[in-house]
Amino acid sequence: MRGFGVALGALALASCAATGGTPPATVAVAPQEAAKLRQVGAAVLFWSQEERFRNFPAMEKLFPGTVARAGRKVRALPQGAPLPIAEAEVAAFMAAQNVTGLLVLQDGKVRMERYARGYGPEGRWTSFSVAKSVTSTLVGAAIKDGYIKSIDDPVTRYIPDLAGAGYDGVSIRQLLTMTSGVKWNEDYTDPNSDVARMFAEAVPAGMDPTVFYMRKLPRESAPGAKFVYKTGETNLIGVLVRRATGKSLSAYLEEKIWKPFGMERDAFWMTDQTGAEVSGCCLSVSLRDYGRIGQMALEGGKGIVPAGWFADATKAQVTYPGGGYGYQWWVLPGGTYAAQGIFGQVILVDPSSRLVMVTSAAWPRASDRDLAQARLAFAMKVQAAARQ
C-alpha cells in the first residue's frame, strides 16, 4: 500500500506549483476603498512571519467577504483511538512547520487533533489554494442541478465576454485541469507575476476583475496540450459558477455543501472589489470542517455532485513528474489525492487506509521543498501508526 508517503513526496515536487439564515448579498466595495483593497490583496504573498500568524486566522478583519452558514445538523466526527505517536514528536513537527492546526481522521473518526498559537476549534484559518478543490466541486454540483450541461462546453458559453481572447475554443474541462494553453506566471516570489498582479489594476465599471485581467493574456499553446498551474483560471471557474447558477459562491456553497454535509462552523470567503468571491483561494474554514471536506470527497459526495464526479475529479487527467492533476485536485501515485495551498495548507486523502490528514499552517515561504519533505516524513508516520 502506497498512500501518504508517495503522496507528499510528489507534493513536494509540485509545491512550486457560521447557523441558519441566508448569506449576505454580494456588495461591491466602495470606490474609495477599492484601491486600498487591491494593494493589501497583492501584499498577502509578502507579509512578514508575524503578519502571517496574526492574519491567517483573521482574514475577515482585513478583507470584505461573504459567508456560507453552517446548518443546525452537524456531521459528527466521533473520537477514535489516539494514534500511537509520541506527543513530543507531534509537538516538534508542528513547531518546525509553524502548524497551528493538525487533524487526522480515519473512517470519519478523530485520531489526532492538535492546535497551537491560540488557534482552536472555534476559529477559522485561510486556505489559499485548498479552496480550488472546493470551487471545482461547485462545478460538479452545478452540473447535477442542470445549470451547466457538460464540462466539455466552451467557457465562452457561460462567460461570453471572454470571446475574442485567448479563451476562444477552451472548454470547462480544460479550465478544471489547467490546460487552457493561455500564458500565465504563478511565481509567488515575483511581485510582477500574474498571480500577484491580477487584482492590482483598476477595473472599468461593470467589468469583472478576473475576466478583465484574464482576457488580456496571450495563448502560448493549443488548448489541452500543456498543464500550467494558474490561480486565475480557478477564479474564472468561480465566475462561471456564479453566472451559471445566478448565485454567489458562498450562497451556493451553503446550499449544496455546507448545510447538507453538516459543516460545523460558518465559512468566510474573501471577495474582490466588486463583491465577487475570489474562488482560486481565500476561503477561511475551521480545522474540523477542512476534515469534513476531505471526508466528503472520500465518500464520493453523494447527493452533492453527479455519481462518479469525485472518481474523475481525483484521478490524473493530466500528468507531471511524480503525479498528476485532476479537477483542481493534486493526484498522486497509489490513489492518494490532495487539496493543497501555499504556506503549508493541505487536505490529504488516502482512500486505501480511509485517512484524511489536514494541516493549517504559516510556513515562512509560500512553497518550500524542505518543509514539504518533512511533512512527508510525518505523514508516513501517521499512516504507519494508523495501521497498528
Side-chain angles (χ1 to χ4, degrees):
M1 182 167 61
R2 303 183 81 173
F4 279 1
V6 171
L8 281 177
L11 282 179
L13 295 174
S15 64
C16 295
T19 314
T22 303
T26 298
V27 179
V29 176
Q32 62 268 27
E33 295 296 320
K36 179 181 177 183
L37 175 61
R38 291 195 302 271
Q39 291 169 0
V40 175
V44 170
L45 291 171
F46 307 100
W47 276 340
S48 69
Q49 188 61 50
E50 179 184 350
E51 288 172 317
R52 284 190 283 271
F53 280 130
R54 182 174 66 246
N55 296 337
F56 285 2
M59 301 299 263
E60 60 267 41
K61 296 179 181 178
L62 296 173
F63 298 99
T66 55
V67 173
R69 292 184 169 87
R72 297 179 181 274
K73 187 175 181 180
V74 175
R75 181 186 178 95
L77 296 177
Q79 192 65 45
L83 287 172
I85 300 177
E87 189 61 35
E89 189 169 4
V90 176
F93 165 74
M94 293 180 67
Q97 297 252 327
N98 291 344
V99 168
T100 57
L102 170 64
L103 179 70
V104 178
L105 305 178
Q106 187 174 34
D107 293 320
K109 297 179 180 179
V110 177
R111 300 208 61 187
M112 180 180 290
E113 184 175 11
R114 301 287 187 276
Y115 297 93
R117 292 185 173 271
Y119 185 47
E122 305 299 310
R124 289 186 287 258
W125 196 268
T126 192
S127 61
F128 292 102
S129 291
V130 167
K132 290 179 169 67
S133 304
V134 176
T135 297
S136 77
T137 302
L138 294 180
V139 175
I143 290 172
K144 187 175 189 301
D145 287 347
Y147 293 117
I148 296 172
K149 181 180 178 182
S150 166
I151 61 171
D152 292 315
D153 287 348
V155 173
T156 51
R157 178 174 298 174
Y158 301 89
I159 313 178
D161 32 350
L162 283 176
Y167 286 93
D168 279 337
V170 174
S171 68
I172 297 172
R173 182 189 301 273
Q174 288 159 346
L175 276 192
L176 288 169
T177 57
M178 297 196 184
T179 57
S180 67
V182 172
K183 189 175 181 179
W184 178 264
N185 179 354
E186 188 86 7
D187 186 347
Y188 304 118
T189 66
D190 181 1
N192 293 313
S193 67
D194 293 302
V195 73
R197 292 179 53 236
M198 62 181 160
F199 291 125
E201 301 177 17
V203 179
M207 188 74 173
D208 181 273
T210 295
V211 175
F212 172 72
Y213 189 84
M214 301 301 286
R215 67 169 284 113
K216 296 188 296 182
L217 300 177
R219 179 174 287 175
E220 65 175 354
S221 60
K226 182 181 179 182
F227 169 72
V228 176
Y229 188 77
K230 308 182 188 78
T231 290
E233 295 200 334
T234 315
N235 292 346
L236 279 183
I237 293 170
V239 174
L240 185 149
V241 171
R242 285 194 300 270
R243 294 193 180 181
T245 65
K247 303 173 184 181
S248 74
L249 293 188
S250 284
Y252 201 47
L253 177 68
E254 178 180 306
E255 173 190 339
K256 301 306 299 183
I257 298 175
W258 232 242
K259 286 185 174 179
F261 202 75
M263 299 303 184
E264 186 173 5
R265 311 294 303 171
D266 294 354
F268 169 81
W269 210 328
M270 282 170 50
T271 53
D272 63 26
Q273 60 265 46
T274 68
E277 293 89 353
V278 183
S279 49
C281 76
C282 310
L283 180 65
S284 291
V285 175
S286 72
L287 185 70
R288 284 188 162 217
D289 285 341
Y290 281 126
R292 289 182 178 95
I293 291 170
Q295 195 67 30
M296 174 190 65
L298 181 62
E299 295 177 6
K302 184 178 180 181
I304 296 171
V305 293
W309 172 267
F310 275 110
D312 290 336
T314 62
K315 74 179 181 184
Q317 302 290 336
V318 295
T319 60
Y320 61 86
Y325 200 68
Y327 302 157
Q328 309 281 295
W329 291 87
W330 296 98
V331 185
L332 300 313
T336 302
Y337 53 89
Q340 180 178 243
I342 56 174
F343 297 108
Q345 326 314 318
V346 76
I347 303 173
L348 190 65
V349 182
D350 179 14
S352 66
S353 55
R354 308 169 309 285
L355 278 175
V356 176
M357 176 175 139
V358 180
T359 63
S360 293
W363 281 4
R365 290 165 292 282
S367 299
D368 190 297
R369 180 182 294 269
D370 291 340
L371 288 175
Q373 291 288 2
R375 189 173 61 185
L376 151 67
F378 183 79
M380 292 175 68
K381 292 175 182 177
V382 166
Q383 187 182 39
R387 296 194 194 114
Q388 295 182 25

